[in-house]
Amino acid sequence: MNSSSYESLLNQLNEGKKAAIVTIINNENSENSNFPRKFLFTEEGLLTDNNDYNFPDAFYEKVQYALESGMLQFGSSEKEIYLIEPYFPEPKLIVLGGGHIAKPLVEFGSKLGFSVTVVDDRPSFANSKRFPDAKNVICESFDKCFDLINLNPSTFVVIVTRGHRHDMDCLKQVLKHNTAYTGMIGSKRRVRGVMDQLVKEGYSKEKLDKVNSPIGLDIGAVTPEEIAVSIISQVVSYRRLVNTKNGRKKIIKSNWPEFDRDVLLALSKEEKEPKAIITIISTKGSVPRKEGAKMLVYPHGKILGSIGGGCSEGSVINSARYILRNGGHQIQTIDMTGYVAEEEGMVCGGIMDVLIELF
Amino acid sequence: MNSSSYESLLNQLNEGKKAAIVTIINNENSENSNFPRKFLFTEEGLLTDNNDYNFPDAFYEKVQYALESGMLQFGSSEKEIYLIEPYFPEPKLIVLGGGHIAKPLVEFGSKLGFSVTVVDDRPSFANSKRFPDAKNVICESFDKCFDLINLNPSTFVVIVTRGHRHDMDCLKQVLKHNTAYTGMIGSKRRVRGVMDQLVKEGYSKEKLDKVNSPIGLDIGAVTPEEIAVSIISQVVSYRRLVNTKNGRKKIIKSNWPEFDRDVLLALSKEEKEPKAIITIISTKGSVPRKEGAKMLVYPHGKILGSIGGGCSEGSVINSARYILRNGGHQIQTIDMTGYVAEEEGMVCGGIMDVLIELF
């Protein structure tokens, strides 16, 4: 039952959509086998079918905030505990054109955590020797390449082909999709020409206004490397700075959390064997892993995922084993401030709370 | 005589200062051995002693524009030819602190053409294994390191030590110098605290206002790599975007030209042997090297520097040899549009003018 929520979650992520797993734990009767219960929320609302649980209105707002900020939300009352865990799809950078700007751009994009795809129709430009950091290098015409790439709300598209005709052709294809970011290179004059042409062809001005063109932040970039930096800075700002929908318009910083796909895959499979989920729910100071990091503990010693390795995991695993035998749940504080290792660059030295639950 | 201008130029560049070489060529009588004449201008004005040449006021403005924009200026009349060549010192990035932000920052800075120096007082952080792209890695206290680094108008200083006390100590040292950029990491709250403290200690508010702190462009950076990109973007904007002094306040883009030190060294030495200087004075379209690039041609076949290699140099060298034998000067157009090689990524395909003069 709960595993199907994780299965739906993986589907959402594969489609480039954000989603949140909501966990409700009964705090009054920890042996009530109906709990913990898991629900899946998308940006459109509750997705799980079996909606016999009554979420108060304020709760929907909390979920929305989690989906905007990428921040895990945790709360507890006498009656129940809730945990809202936002999951964001892997951010993808699509670079259309493999020329002199693409080269540093792919490198920077990959360094900044994007899964990068480059497209060019010239074999000497579209090869993985030229782009060792790219996840995919596609050698295909700018016409046909769109059958091979998946444009969705977590793709950031940069159009930097060798000519403005190719650029315009690409833009027309990209405009058919809902992307996280679209930018097209070109001088102010040339861009205006392209945009006027597209308006004439019936493209809506509103949609065209969302295209970042001329591309990149205005840092006076001159060299290809500088242009690449101005572009990737703009892309990062689109990834991180989010307009909240709630209340007054406000820009918040999105955490865009990373997730462990192996752990989600294990949770999405219906297994007879019970397991304990350990989730970091809050951190303070210098800790090896952040809120949302997960570790699964199985009865016979198997462990999947990590909440930070040696200096934090030992005692929690014992608690997880206790819960595997006796049921229930537990919130445990792990204090790593004893390890004063900052001078040597070690990352233990903070405090974190973890939730241990039976799954 | 002329060589001393180049000697002074190199001294200026070593001090981190911009300067321009002005060449005046007599166009009426090309055998007048007083010409070409070379003068050195700094941002403060004409530096050469032997000022018996009468520059009109408008000419000083042209020189100033060259020093702001980094753009070579060329003009000719029946009477004379002038060439204003701006030279900008190598831009230096000084990173104080060798932690998790310094790591990507040094890499990006080096990719963007800065000569990078990193300082940390911890041997495990200040070593060239950690910073393979750094030109200098200095392991020294933040107190003493300033004896080892040369802060001047072409140094861009980023303060990212592991603690705000070290940051403040560094800032106090940096404020003693005139730098191209100073930025210090820190949250808004913490930065305000440091600034209030410094005002109390007598530092001028005007000077402190020029410090970029919190550091970096506001792109919502979260990870160390993103913070590094936000910082280097801001550094680039300080390198490239210049407020002109002339007329209305206007931001122009500085070209910050590169130069060939070997060529300047050869020109700064008084040699008996004459040589021809070939300088690119204008370009159009795709050319291998830009305005200001220089090649020296000696009588017995020796050549120093380059104006772009094979597809452009051949015929110009012949003209240079003619001038070496017969004196005078020449402006020659090199048309490379015959080489339509853009599709294969070659860089010949434009047109450029070169000035050939005897030196």
Side-chain angles (χ1 to χ4, degrees):
Chain A
M1 202 60 185
N2 278 336
S3 58
S4 70
S5 293
Y6 283 102
E7 208 186 327
S8 307
L9 169 64
L10 283 168
N11 290 337
Q12 290 286 317
L13 292 173
N14 286 339
E15 287 171 26
K17 291 177 186 162
K18 299 171 184 174
I21 293 280
V22 169
T23 303
I24 306 287
I25 295 174
N26 189 310
N27 223 358
E28 290 172 315
N29 175 9
S30 71
E31 269 146 53
N32 182 337
S33 64
N34 283 329
F35 295 91
R37 291 189 58 181
K38 306 271 182 186
F39 302 88
L40 183 67
F41 282 77
T42 68
E43 287 180 281
E44 279 76 47
L46 181 63
L47 197 84
T48 321
D49 302 328
N50 56 338
N51 186 18
D52 59 343
Y53 193 84
N54 195 17
F55 291 106
D57 283 352
F59 194 82
Y60 284 89
E61 279 181 27
K62 276 197 212 306
V63 174
Q64 197 182 318
Y65 179 75
L67 284 170
E68 285 167 347
S69 67
M71 303 291 278
L72 179 144
Q73 308 292 305
F74 175 80
S76 65
S77 66
E78 267 181 41
K79 211 180 133 213
E80 60 188 21
I81 290 174
Y82 71 82
L83 179 64
I84 307 170
E85 294 171 273
Y87 286 91
F88 282 34
E90 186 183 40
K92 289 190 171 140
L93 178 66
I94 313 286
V95 182
L96 298 163
H100 57 305
I101 292 167
K103 197 149 173 25
L105 181 62
V106 168
E107 193 185 333
F108 295 152
S110 157
K111 284 250 154 55
L112 290 171
F114 291 88
S115 163
V116 187
T117 297
V118 202
V119 182
D120 205 295
D121 55 351
R122 300 164 292 179
S124 56
F125 284 80
N127 62 75
S128 53
K129 226 180 199 167
R130 183 168 165 82
F131 296 106
D133 301 318
K135 194 165 180 195
N136 302 299
V137 181
I138 297 174
C139 187
E140 184 53 88
S141 72
F142 292 112
D143 215 28
K144 292 183 189 148
C145 70
F146 290 93
D147 298 338
L148 304 170
I149 51 182
N150 181 15
L151 297 181
N152 63 42
S154 66
T155 48
F156 298 77
V157 184
V158 172
I159 306 175
V160 283
T161 76
R162 67 183 171 287
H164 70 291
R165 272 170 206 221
H166 288 308
D167 286 342
M168 187 163 78
D169 290 344
C170 285
L171 183 57
K172 285 181 184 177
Q173 296 289 329
V174 175
L175 286 172
K176 293 179 187 166
H177 303 269
N178 184 13
T179 58
Y181 169 92
T182 301
M184 182 179 74
I185 202 148
S187 66
K188 264 186 196 166
R189 203 176 53 86
R190 186 159 274 183
V191 164
R192 204 179 306 128
V194 169
M195 294 303 181
D196 288 350
Q197 173 69 21
L198 291 178
V199 168
K200 265 185 211 156
E201 292 183 21
Y203 289 83
S204 85
K205 219 186 151 304
E206 195 197 339
K207 214 162 183 188
L208 294 173
D209 280 347
K210 285 186 187 155
V211 177
N212 292 279
S213 193
I215 200 170
L217 297 186
D218 188 13
I219 59 171
V222 172
T223 65
E225 289 77 12
E226 289 175 352
I227 295 169
V229 155
S230 82
I231 295 172
I232 204 68
S233 298
Q234 193 172 49
V235 166
V236 167
S237 75
Y238 271 73
R239 177 176 179 189
R240 296 297 185 188
L241 298 175
V242 180
N243 276 311
T244 55
K245 283 170 200 157
N246 276 344
R248 61 208 167 92
K249 224 177 176 177
K250 194 184 152 191
I251 290 175
I252 59 168
K253 198 187 272 195
S254 167
N255 186 41
W256 201 296
E258 287 176 27
F259 60 86
D260 185 334
R261 191 171 285 272
D262 288 344
V263 168
L264 291 194
L265 275 172
L267 291 171
S268 71
K269 280 177 203 146
E270 218 167 308
E271 294 172 319
K272 274 180 198 153
E273 203 181 35
K275 47 192 169 274
I277 308 179
I278 303 168
T279 306
I280 301 179
I281 53 174
S282 77
T283 68
K284 210 174 152 180
S286 180
V287 288
R289 295 207 66 194
K290 290 288 171 195
E291 286 87 349
K294 269 187 159 43
M295 182 164 73
L296 307 184
V297 177
Y298 292 81
H300 302 293
K302 191 180 136 191
I303 279 170
L304 192 65
S306 165
I307 54 163
C311 55
S312 53
E313 287 174 359
S315 72
V316 192
I317 292 173
N318 283 338
S319 308
R321 296 224 164 100
Y322 178 86
I323 283 170
L324 274 173
R325 285 192 301 273
N326 303 293
H329 64 270
Q330 196 188 323
I331 292 167
Q332 191 171 324
T333 300
I334 304 170
D335 188 337
M336 294 173 287
T337 50
Y339 300 74
V340 183
E342 195 207 349
E343 291 285 319
E344 288 307 316
M346 284 178 63
V347 281
C348 296
I351 294 174
M352 62 187 192
D353 287 340
V354 297
L355 170 69
I356 313 171
E357 58 177 304
L358 202 61
F359 186 79
Chain B
M1 203 59 182
N2 278 337
S3 58
S4 70
S5 293
Y6 283 101
E7 206 184 331
S8 307
L9 169 65
L10 283 169
N11 289 337
Q12 289 286 316
L13 292 173
N14 286 339
E15 286 172 28
K17 292 178 185 162
K18 299 171 183 174
I21 292 281
V22 169
T23 303
I24 305 287
I25 295 174
N26 190 309
N27 223 358
E28 291 172 315
N29 174 10
S30 71
E31 269 146 54
N32 181 336
S33 64
N34 284 329
F35 294 91
R37 291 189 57 181
K38 307 271 182 187
F39 301 88
L40 183 67
F41 281 77
T42 67
E43 285 180 282
E44 279 77 45
L46 180 64
L47 197 85
T48 321
D49 301 329
N50 55 339
N51 186 18
D52 58 345
Y53 193 84
N54 196 15
F55 290 105
D57 282 353
F59 194 82
Y60 284 90
E61 279 180 28
K62 276 197 210 307
V63 174
Q64 198 182 320
Y65 179 75
L67 284 170
E68 285 167 347
S69 67
M71 302 291 277
L72 178 145
Q73 308 291 307
F74 175 79
S76 65
S77 66
E78 268 182 39
K79 211 180 133 213
E80 62 189 20
I81 290 174
Y82 71 82
L83 178 65
I84 307 170
E85 294 171 274
Y87 286 91
F88 282 35
E90 186 183 40
K92 289 192 171 141
L93 178 66
I94 312 286
V95 182
L96 298 162
H100 57 305
I101 291 167
K103 195 147 176 24
L105 181 62
V106 168
E107 195 185 331
F108 295 152
S110 157
K111 284 249 152 57
L112 290 171
F114 291 89
S115 162
V116 187
T117 297
V118 202
V119 182
D120 205 294
D121 55 351
R122 300 164 292 178
S124 55
F125 285 81
N127 62 75
S128 54
K129 227 180 200 168
R130 183 169 165 82
F131 296 106
D133 300 318
K135 193 164 182 197
N136 303 299
V137 181
I138 297 174
C139 187
E140 183 52 89
S141 72
F142 292 112
D143 215 29
K144 291 182 190 149
C145 70
F146 290 93
D147 298 337
L148 304 170
I149 50 183
N150 181 14
L151 297 182
N152 62 42
S154 67
T155 48
F156 298 77
V157 184
V158 172
I159 306 175
V160 282
T161 76
R162 67 183 171 286
H164 69 290
R165 273 173 204 216
H166 288 307
D167 287 343
M168 187 163 78
D169 290 344
C170 284
L171 183 57
K172 285 182 186 177
Q173 296 288 330
V174 175
L175 285 173
K176 293 179 187 165
H177 304 269
N178 184 12
T179 58
Y181 169 92
T182 301
M184 181 179 74
I185 202 148
S187 65
K188 265 185 197 167
R189 203 177 52 86
R190 185 161 274 181
V191 164
R192 203 179 307 128
V194 169
M195 294 304 180
D196 289 350
Q197 172 69 23
L198 291 177
V199 168
K200 265 185 211 156
E201 292 183 20
Y203 289 83
S204 84
K205 220 186 150 305
E206 196 199 339
K207 214 162 182 189
L208 293 173
D209 280 347
K210 286 187 186 155
V211 178
N212 292 278
S213 192
I215 199 170
L217 296 186
D218 187 13
I219 58 170
V222 171
T223 65
E225 288 78 12
E226 289 174 352
I227 295 170
V229 155
S230 81
I231 294 172
I232 204 68
S233 298
Q234 193 173 48
V235 167
V236 167
S237 74
Y238 270 73
R239 178 177 178 189
R240 296 298 185 189
L241 299 176
V242 180
N243 275 311
T244 55
K245 284 173 199 155
N246 276 344
R248 60 207 168 95
K249 224 178 176 173
K250 195 184 152 190
I251 290 175
I252 59 167
K253 197 186 274 194
S254 167
N255 186 42
W256 202 297
E258 287 175 27
F259 60 86
D260 185 334
R261 190 171 288 271
D262 287 344
V263 169
L264 291 195
L265 275 171
L267 291 171
S268 71
K269 279 177 204 145
E270 220 168 308
E271 294 172 320
K272 273 180 199 153
E273 203 181 34
K275 45 191 170 277
I277 309 179
I278 303 169
T279 307
I280 302 178
I281 53 173
S282 77
T283 68
K284 211 173 150 180
S286 179
V287 288
R289 295 206 67 194
K290 291 288 170 195
E291 285 87 350
K294 269 187 157 48
M295 182 164 73
L296 307 185
V297 177
Y298 292 82
H300 302 294
K302 191 180 137 191
I303 280 170
L304 192 65
S306 165
I307 55 163
C311 55
S312 53
E313 286 174 0
S315 71
V316 192
I317 291 174
N318 283 337
S319 308
R321 294 223 165 100
Y322 177 87
I323 284 171
L324 274 173
R325 286 192 302 272
N326 302 294
H329 64 270
Q330 195 188 325
I331 293 167
Q332 192 171 325
T333 300
I334 304 171
D335 189 337
M336 292 172 288
T337 50
Y339 300 75
V340 183
E342 196 205 349
E343 291 284 318
E344 287 307 315
M346 284 178 62
V347 280
C348 296
I351 295 174
M352 61 187 193
D353 287 340
V354 298
L355 170 69
I356 312 171
E357 57 177 304
L358 201 61
F359 186 80

